[in-house]
Amino acid sequence: MAASSAAFAACLLACALLFQMCVASRKLTALVQDQPITMTYHKGALLSGRIAVNLIWYGNFSAPQRAVITDFVSSLSTPPSPQPQPEPSVASWFKTAQKYYANSKARFPALSLGQHVLDQSYSLGKRLGEKDLIRLAARGSPSRAINVVLTADDVAVDGFCMSRCGTHGASPRSRAGRFAYVWVGNPATQCPGQCAWPYHQPVYGPQAAPLTPPNGDVGVDGMVISLASMIVGTVTNPFGNGFFQGDADAPLEAATACAGVYGKGAYPGYAGSLLVDPASGASYNANGAHGRKYLVPALVDPDTSACSTVG
């Protein structure tokens, strides 16, 4: 149930990105989401305590590509002084997810970068199904972990580009424990217009010029967007009975409910008002570890029942 509902949530995220232009008949001055979005807590277990985020790299990723994503995961925690992230920051953005825990008895988890697992030999082939993703995720820690499977741009995954850019779920219960997992694919060669927008021209709707990615890699910067959405979904709805709106088999989660919204004034086909790096011309909305800049999605703020952008 957890895997299927999370997959549907990821599907909604992808569909919003794939077909965001289909609702462009609305006035351009209108926001993407006008109605209140209420995330209901379904009394299920949440992640708590120290949680390792383990990265399973499947296929060929360059060292700079791995560094971009590794630094993003490191950015989720507020670093000790004297190296705080400049605001607006990824750490501040992630604190919106923490608000959900005020409505539960669980303490918000402390995420930390865990181990790296490299599979550059494509041990399961270059076409993967859902069971393959779970097998790969199991290479991380068996409990108290979010095991993140990252597939290279030449790996085909069932549903990738057609209905999803990533997904999250959880392993079955076992004596060894239970882990949450995330999968995100690199869309650089397969579907950058779907899963790397706004850093690539969209497939549908008005053909506005793409924005410049802050880390110079359309595919990997697109992966960060999907990874950010799926990590928040994992933290707020890890086992399919946490926080979401709608039916458990077709949930809207904290990030997927705001797909396509990155800055104030966003509407279908327009990501919203973003920061621009004066040196590179790259567009972003959050600062991260080691001087990184990222684009992270708006999240439903449970205090306002509306999509909240960072900054």
Side-chain angles (χ1 to χ4, degrees):
M1 177 68 74
S4 62
S5 61
F8 192 93
C11 175
L12 289 175
L13 169 64
C15 288
L17 296 174
L18 294 171
F19 303 112
Q20 57 192 300
M21 306 307 176
C22 295
V23 292
S25 60
R26 296 177 61 184
K27 293 182 180 179
L28 296 184
T29 54
L31 294 176
V32 170
Q33 186 61 254
D34 297 320
Q35 300 300 318
I37 313 170
T38 302
M39 292 290 158
T40 301
Y41 180 39
H42 295 81
K43 308 302 180 181
L46 299 172
L47 302 182
S48 186
R50 295 185 178 277
I51 302 293
V53 181
N54 303 303
L55 303 179
I56 297 97
W57 305 89
Y58 189 79
N60 292 318
F61 287 90
S62 67
Q65 288 177 324
R66 292 198 299 270
V68 170
I69 292 178
T70 298
D71 285 347
F72 175 74
V73 173
S74 298
S75 301
L76 294 170
S77 301
T78 303
S81 297
Q83 294 183 325
Q85 299 171 23
E87 296 297 337
S89 68
V90 172
S92 294
W93 166 81
F94 193 52
K95 286 181 179 179
T96 298
Q98 187 172 353
K99 293 182 179 182
Y100 286 83
Y101 278 63
N103 295 319
S104 74
K105 295 181 180 180
R107 291 186 178 182
F108 193 68
L111 303 189
S112 61
L113 181 64
Q115 62 181 316
H116 292 262
V117 178
L118 274 63
D119 185 341
Q120 296 176 311
S121 65
Y122 301 88
S123 62
L124 300 183
K126 291 190 175 183
R127 180 171 292 278
L128 305 178
E130 198 67 32
K131 291 183 178 179
D132 297 315
L133 297 179
I134 296 175
R135 286 178 62 188
L136 290 171
R139 295 179 182 179
S141 301
S143 63
R144 306 203 64 76
I146 301 174
N147 296 331
V148 180
V149 177
L150 303 154
T151 51
D153 59 5
D154 58 348
V155 176
V157 176
D158 287 352
F160 186 38
C161 298
M162 294 180 288
S163 62
R164 59 182 183 169
C165 302
T167 192
H168 76 88
S171 67
R173 295 182 184 277
S174 71
R175 291 182 179 179
R178 194 180 192 190
F179 60 83
Y181 70 87
V182 168
W183 159 72
V184 171
N186 186 339
T189 60
Q190 298 182 54
C191 54
Q194 292 98 324
C195 296
W197 183 85
Y199 295 128
H200 191 279
Q201 215 162 2
V203 174
Y204 304 97
Q207 298 298 297
L211 303 179
T212 301
N215 297 289
D217 190 313
V218 169
V220 172
D221 277 296
M223 290 181 77
V224 168
I225 295 172
S226 298
L227 178 59
S229 298
M230 294 299 100
I231 285 181
V232 169
T234 300
V235 168
T236 56
N237 187 30
F239 307 115
N241 52 6
F243 291 92
F244 60 87
Q245 181 187 72
D247 188 88
D249 292 325
L252 277 176
E253 296 178 338
T256 57
C258 299
V261 180
Y262 302 100
K264 297 185 185 303
Y267 54 77
Y270 172 58
S273 179
L274 304 176
L275 299 172
V276 177
D277 187 322
S280 65
S283 297
Y284 68 102
N285 61 6
N287 294 286
H290 306 124
R292 295 282 186 188
K293 295 174 172 58
Y294 296 105
L295 187 66
V296 292
L299 303 176
V300 176
D301 187 327
D303 292 341
T304 63
S305 297
C307 293
S308 176
T309 56
V310 65

